[in-house]
């Protein structure tokens, strides 16, 4: 088996707070992503998904742990090594209204990475920009327009084209459809899926919509308060969730009943997520978990096998009844 494209080992990303304390946004994540794989990363807002994405690209520094991309340790890399590594890994941000420079035309936006990384001779740049626009479903005749002249979905297509310009091996998509109309979301998701298949791209897809992640991803990682609490094949995680937190997320997916079978019971979570400045001891989910016992307040549960191809961080896995 070939080595994974991306490997994270015990990654921590902490931020000091002005008046004392530390925000533990990412707190001990170990994860690997195979070449050509689509890995979905899900969790509530504030659980650390976006910080983890920025940590992978070293847009925010790693407090501890290692990030290895294509065999290169990015956490100890100098500026020149990071510059070269970022050609292999690109990011699509959540808000296309904010991620595109309003003072640059589409042509200038797409030409910039080609020129900075010397992908092609300057004379070939117009043809490369036109080809990129066609790949994401935009007419090249619009390349001289500015971002404000496009719709939200078209702007996100421009952002995807910019990410593809360097022919990366890894794309990190940070909730790329959450700022778009529902009618446009499916188009962007289908575009991403088609591009990944055509180019054998590796995709880390961050979202909070589990139904979307299930159909797009090969595997799903569930994140809670800076830690991965479940990891496994997408269909298995959604259809047979193991961790109590995943069970609650899955139970909230809207369903349309077309037969007489009983609907999956709702498992609402009590209270709000604890503060990442002062996370609870032991299992971080125990204050909201209906299955918590005294040991859950004392033991930090590691990821253990919940089935042959799936892991979950819960000391009571064998005692929780099936959903």
């Amino acid at each position: 088996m070939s080595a994974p494209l991306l490997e994270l080992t015990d990654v921590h990303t902490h931020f000091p707070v002005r008046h004392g304390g530390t925000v533990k946004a990412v707190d001990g994540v170990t994860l690997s992503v195979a070449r050509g794989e689509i890995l979905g990363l899900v969790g509530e807002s504030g659980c650390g998904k976006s910080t983890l994405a920025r940590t992978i690209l070293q847009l925010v520094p790693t407090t501890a742990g290692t990030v290895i991309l294509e065999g290169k340790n990015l956490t100890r890399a100098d500026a020149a090594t990071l510059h070269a590594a970022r050609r292999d890994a690109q990011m699509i941000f959540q808000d296309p209204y904010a991620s595109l420079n309003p003072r640059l035309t589409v042509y200038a936006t797409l030409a910039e990475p080609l020129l900075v990384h010397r992908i092609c001779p300057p004379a070939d740049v117009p043809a490369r920009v036109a080809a990129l626009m066609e790949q994401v479903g935009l007419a090249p005749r619009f390349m001289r327009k500015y971002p404000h002249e496009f719709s939200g979905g078209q702007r996100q297509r421009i952002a995807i084209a910019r990410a593809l310009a360097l022919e990366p091996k890894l794309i990190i998509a940070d909730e790329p459809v959450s700022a778009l109309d529902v009618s446009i979301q499916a188009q962007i998701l289908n575009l991403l899926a088609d591009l990944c298949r055509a180019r054998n791209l590796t995709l880390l897809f961050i979202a909070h919509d589990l139904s979307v992640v299930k159909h797009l991803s090969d595997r799903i990682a569930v994140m809670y308060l800076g830690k991965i609490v479940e990891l496994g094949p997408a269909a298995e995680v959604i259809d047979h969730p193991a961790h109590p937190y995943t069970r609650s997320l899955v139970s909230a997916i809207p369903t349309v009943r077309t037969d007489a079978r009983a609907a999956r019971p709702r498992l609402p979570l009590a209270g709000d997520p604890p503060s990442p400045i002062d996370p609870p001891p032991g299992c971080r989910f125990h204050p909201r978990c209906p299955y918590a016992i005294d040991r859950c307040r004392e033991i930090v549960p590691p990821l253990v096998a919940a089935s042959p191809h799936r892991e979950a961080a819960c000391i009571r896995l064998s005692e929780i009844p099936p959903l």
Side-chain angles (χ1 to χ4, degrees):
M1 183 179 294
S2 61
L5 178 72
L6 175 68
E7 291 182 273
L8 311 180
T9 304
D10 199 25
V11 171
H12 296 70
T13 306
H14 298 172
F15 302 99
V17 180
R18 180 179 301 176
H19 302 295
T22 301
V23 175
K24 298 177 180 178
V26 177
D27 203 34
V29 169
T30 296
L31 195 62
S32 65
V33 186
R35 297 173 189 272
E37 180 182 21
I38 299 178
L39 176 68
L41 180 63
V42 301
E44 292 174 279
S45 296
C47 72
K49 303 186 301 296
S50 294
T51 301
L52 182 61
R54 286 161 172 77
T55 300
I56 291 170
L57 296 180
Q58 293 296 286
L59 299 178
V60 295
T62 308
T63 305
T66 58
V67 177
I68 297 177
L69 176 67
E70 277 275 276
K72 303 181 185 71
N73 188 343
L74 302 188
T75 53
R76 299 176 183 174
D78 55 24
T81 303
L82 279 178
H83 177 79
R86 284 173 181 154
R87 178 176 173 176
D88 291 330
Q90 288 290 298
M91 190 163 178
I92 301 167
F93 295 92
Q94 177 177 358
D95 186 0
Y97 294 87
S99 64
L100 297 176
N101 188 332
R103 301 181 67 181
L104 296 182
T105 63
V106 173
Y107 176 83
T109 297
L110 300 183
E112 183 177 32
L114 297 173
L115 295 170
V116 168
H117 287 269
R118 301 177 181 179
I119 301 299
C120 61
D124 295 342
V125 169
R128 291 291 293 265
V129 169
L132 285 168
M133 293 189 69
E134 290 177 341
Q135 287 172 25
V136 298
L138 294 174
R141 68 178 184 274
F142 297 135
M143 67 172 65
R144 299 297 176 181
K145 291 182 177 292
Y146 289 87
H148 73 270
E149 300 178 85
F150 294 90
S151 67
Q154 289 172 324
R155 292 187 197 192
Q156 198 62 293
R157 288 176 186 268
I158 296 167
I160 293 171
R162 180 176 60 184
L164 293 174
L166 299 180
E167 299 181 353
K169 297 179 178 68
L170 170 69
I171 287 183
I172 301 173
D174 186 7
E175 303 207 35
V177 298
S178 63
L180 305 179
D181 293 340
V182 174
S183 59
I184 304 300
Q185 290 181 5
Q187 298 176 21
I188 299 300
L189 292 171
N190 290 335
L191 173 63
L192 284 172
D194 292 342
L195 288 169
C196 286
R197 285 193 294 267
R199 292 169 169 250
N200 195 32
L201 284 171
T202 303
L203 177 65
L204 176 59
F205 183 79
I206 300 172
H208 55 264
D209 189 334
L210 283 171
S211 57
V212 167
V213 175
K214 175 185 176 181
H215 293 292
L216 186 66
S217 306
D218 300 309
R219 288 190 304 153
I220 291 177
V222 182
M223 196 168 184
Y224 183 79
L225 209 62
K227 291 183 176 293
I228 301 297
V229 297
E230 187 162 352
L231 175 66
E236 191 171 346
V237 169
I238 299 300
D239 295 338
H240 306 286
H243 194 278
Y245 176 62
T246 312
R247 292 158 64 93
S248 183
L249 292 181
V250 169
S251 76
I253 298 176
T255 57
V256 177
R257 302 305 302 176
T258 58
D259 53 40
R261 290 178 298 170
R264 175 175 279 174
R266 292 295 300 270
L267 301 173
L269 293 177
D272 298 318
S275 169
I277 298 177
D278 186 25
C283 175
R284 296 192 170 181
F285 186 60
H286 83 255
R288 308 173 73 190
C289 180
Y291 306 103
I293 57 177
D294 289 342
R295 283 193 301 143
C296 298
R297 298 167 176 82
E298 303 167 357
I299 300 172
V300 178
L303 281 170
V304 297
S307 67
H309 303 288
R310 185 166 44 137
E311 298 173 300
C314 178
I315 63 174
R316 300 199 66 200
L317 281 178
S318 61
E319 305 169 48
I320 299 175
L323 186 62

